[in-house]
Amino acid sequence: SATKGHAFMQLLLKENAKQGIFIGDDVTDEDVFIYKDPNLLTIKVGFSKDSHASYYLKNQKEVVKVLEIISESLE
Protein backbone atom coordinates (compact mmCIF):
# COMPACT_ATOMS: atom_id res chain seq x y z
CA SER A 1 0.00 0.00 0.00
CA ALA A 2 1.11 3.56 -0.69
CA THR A 3 2.37 5.65 2.21
CA LYS A 4 3.60 9.22 2.53
CA GLY A 5 7.12 7.83 2.73
CA HIS A 6 6.80 5.86 -0.48
CA ALA A 7 5.13 8.78 -2.27
CA PHE A 8 7.79 11.26 -1.11
CA MET A 9 10.65 8.99 -2.15
CA GLN A 10 8.99 8.44 -5.55
CA LEU A 11 8.64 12.21 -5.98
CA LEU A 12 12.33 12.70 -5.26
CA LEU A 13 13.22 10.05 -7.84
CA LYS A 14 10.81 11.48 -10.45
CA GLU A 15 12.25 14.98 -10.00
CA ASN A 16 15.81 13.60 -9.97
CA ALA A 17 16.32 15.43 -6.68
CA LYS A 18 19.58 14.74 -4.92
CA GLN A 19 18.27 15.97 -1.57
CA GLY A 20 14.93 16.36 0.14
CA ILE A 21 13.41 18.07 3.14
CA PHE A 22 10.25 16.83 4.83
CA ILE A 23 8.60 18.66 7.71
CA GLY A 24 5.58 17.13 9.40
CA ASP A 25 3.52 17.05 12.56
CA ASP A 26 1.31 14.02 12.03
CA VAL A 27 1.73 10.38 12.99
CA THR A 28 1.51 9.41 9.30
CA ASP A 29 4.61 11.54 8.65
CA GLU A 30 6.58 8.79 10.41
CA ASP A 31 6.31 6.96 7.06
CA VAL A 32 8.81 9.51 5.76
CA PHE A 33 10.79 9.97 8.97
CA ILE A 34 11.61 6.25 9.03
CA TYR A 35 13.85 6.65 5.96
CA LYS A 36 17.43 7.08 7.12
CA ASP A 37 19.04 8.61 4.05
CA PRO A 38 21.86 11.15 4.50
CA ASN A 39 20.35 13.22 1.68
CA LEU A 40 16.95 13.42 3.36
CA LEU A 41 16.35 15.97 6.12
CA THR A 42 13.36 15.03 8.27
CA ILE A 43 11.90 17.44 10.81
CA LYS A 44 9.07 16.78 13.26
CA VAL A 45 7.00 19.69 14.52
CA GLY A 46 6.50 19.01 18.21
CA PHE A 47 8.76 16.71 20.19
CA SER A 48 7.97 13.02 20.39
CA LYS A 49 10.42 10.55 21.91
CA ASP A 50 8.99 7.89 19.60
CA SER A 51 9.56 9.82 16.37
CA HIS A 52 12.14 8.73 13.81
CA ALA A 53 12.65 12.30 12.56
CA SER A 54 16.23 13.57 12.45
CA TYR A 55 15.32 16.94 14.00
CA TYR A 56 12.51 18.60 15.94
CA LEU A 57 10.93 22.04 15.97
CA LYS A 58 8.96 23.35 18.94
CA ASN A 59 6.00 24.67 16.96
CA GLN A 60 4.65 25.86 13.61
CA LYS A 61 6.28 29.29 14.04
CA GLU A 62 9.68 27.64 13.91
CA VAL A 63 8.76 26.09 10.54
CA VAL A 64 8.58 29.61 9.10
CA LYS A 65 12.04 30.38 10.52
CA VAL A 66 13.50 27.25 8.93
CA LEU A 67 11.96 28.10 5.56
CA GLU A 68 13.31 31.65 5.78
CA ILE A 69 16.81 30.33 6.50
CA ILE A 70 16.61 27.93 3.56
CA SER A 71 15.31 30.67 1.28
CA GLU A 72 18.11 33.04 2.29
CA SER A 73 20.74 30.37 1.69
CA LEU A 74 19.49 29.94 -1.90
CA GLU A 75 19.88 33.64 -2.76
Side-chain angles (χ1 to χ4, degrees), residues 11-39:
L11 176 63
L12 293 177
L13 285 172
K14 181 181 178 201
E15 295 298 321
N16 200 26
K18 294 177 178 46
Q19 298 175 321
I21 299 171
F22 190 92
I23 302 173
D25 64 356
D26 189 84
V27 67
T28 60
D29 296 326
E30 290 297 324
D31 294 333
V32 181
F33 299 157
I34 200 83
Y35 285 90
K36 293 300 177 190
D37 183 322
N39 295 313

Side-chain angles (χ1 to χ4, degrees), residues 34-52:
I34 200 83
Y35 285 90
K36 293 300 177 190
D37 183 322
N39 295 313
L40 181 59
L41 176 65
T42 56
I43 304 171
K44 169 108 172 84
V45 180
F47 178 77
S48 169
K49 64 181 174 70
D50 299 323
S51 180
H52 292 93

Side-chain angles (χ1 to χ4, degrees), residues 49-67:
K49 64 181 174 70
D50 299 323
S51 180
H52 292 93
S54 300
Y55 298 94
Y56 301 91
L57 296 174
K58 291 179 188 175
N59 52 47
Q60 295 288 341
K61 289 180 184 177
E62 288 193 339
V63 173
V64 174
K65 290 179 187 176
V66 168
L67 295 175

